[in-house]
Amino acid sequence: MTEKDQKKSTDIWMLKVLTIALVLISTLLAFFCIRVNNVVNQYKEKYNNECVQSMLIMKSNQELTANTNNYKSQSDELSKLNNDLKKQNEEIKKQLEELKKQNQQLEAAKRELADDNLQLQKSLKKAAAVGVKPQSYKIFSGDIPENISNRKYLGKFLGTAYTPCAEECGNNKA
């Protein structure tokens, strides 16, 4: 073999080695790219899932914030209503105390009228016991008759009468 043929054979052998090396390197790069692509896809899928979860959490947080604001608004409204009810309760307590005072006054007036009525009944019984007939009288109903409209109420008076009985005068004339 000539030097030229030998060189040609060496070049062919070198070309084959380089081709094989190139195929091996290309195969390794393709394998590496496929592996990297799989890893990238896994992380991409994980990232997308986390993004979806993050968006769901954000939406849930927005709903919770809206609910919180709604509850706060309702709480403020209930506080105002509670304050109004407290004021009304205080006003009712004041009115109740005033009504209690009025009731006590009415009860005292009722007792006084009952005592007056009892005294009147006793004096009528005494008068009837000795034979005195009561004169006609009219019970005051609170209405002022037309013929006395220019008169003025002066108060309550106790009328007394004397009978010729032994208990009051010391004499036996009937």
Side-chain angles (χ1 to χ4, degrees):
M1 275 200 163
T2 63
E3 204 177 291
K4 207 179 189 191
D5 284 337
Q6 203 174 13
K7 189 172 181 195
K8 194 176 182 184
S9 158
T10 306
D11 284 343
I12 290 176
W13 185 78
M14 214 33 146
L15 186 63
K16 285 180 183 178
V17 169
L18 283 176
T19 303
I20 291 171
L22 187 61
V23 167
L24 283 175
I25 290 173
S26 295
T27 304
L28 283 173
L29 278 174
F31 177 74
F32 180 75
C33 284
I34 289 171
R35 281 296 281 165
V36 167
N37 191 33
N38 286 342
V39 170
V40 166
N41 284 338
Q42 285 176 350
Y43 280 107
K44 184 178 178 182
E45 186 177 328
K46 184 178 178 183
Y47 173 77
N48 286 338
N49 288 339
E50 288 177 359
C51 284
V52 168
Q53 287 177 352
S54 295
M55 293 185 87
L56 289 174
I57 290 171
M58 285 175 48
K59 185 177 180 181
S60 176
N61 282 343
Q62 289 172 346
E63 290 172 358
L64 289 172
T65 300
N67 286 343
T68 300
N69 291 337
N70 188 23
Y71 292 143
K72 184 178 179 191
S73 173
Q74 289 176 352
S75 176
D76 292 344
E77 193 174 317
L78 288 174
S79 291
K80 288 178 185 177
L81 288 173
N82 188 30
N83 288 336
D84 290 346
L85 287 175
K86 284 180 181 178
K87 289 177 184 177
Q88 288 176 0
N89 189 27
E90 289 300 318
E91 192 64 34
I92 288 171
K93 283 181 181 178
K94 289 177 185 177
Q95 290 174 356
L96 181 62
E97 287 300 317
E98 184 63 33
L99 287 173
K100 282 180 181 179
K101 288 177 185 177
Q102 289 176 1
N103 189 36
Q104 288 172 349
Q105 291 171 349
L106 289 173
E107 287 291 330
K110 179 183 170 186
R111 281 190 301 274
E112 186 178 342
L113 287 173
D115 289 344
D116 289 348
N117 188 17
L118 189 60
Q119 287 176 359
L120 179 61
Q121 286 177 11
K122 285 179 182 178
S123 73
L124 286 175
K125 284 180 184 178
K126 275 185 181 181
V130 292
V132 176
K133 293 183 182 177
Q135 296 177 355
S136 66
Y137 62 90
K138 188 174 185 181
I139 297 175
F140 182 68
S141 64
D143 297 328
I144 300 173
E146 292 177 18
N147 61 351
I148 62 168
S149 63
N150 61 349
R151 297 183 185 175
K152 186 176 181 183
Y153 176 74
L154 296 177
K156 182 171 88 171
F157 296 90
L158 178 63
T160 59
Y162 297 97
T163 61
C165 69
E167 293 132 12
E168 290 187 15
C169 301
N171 105 26
N172 310 6
K173 297 181 183 175

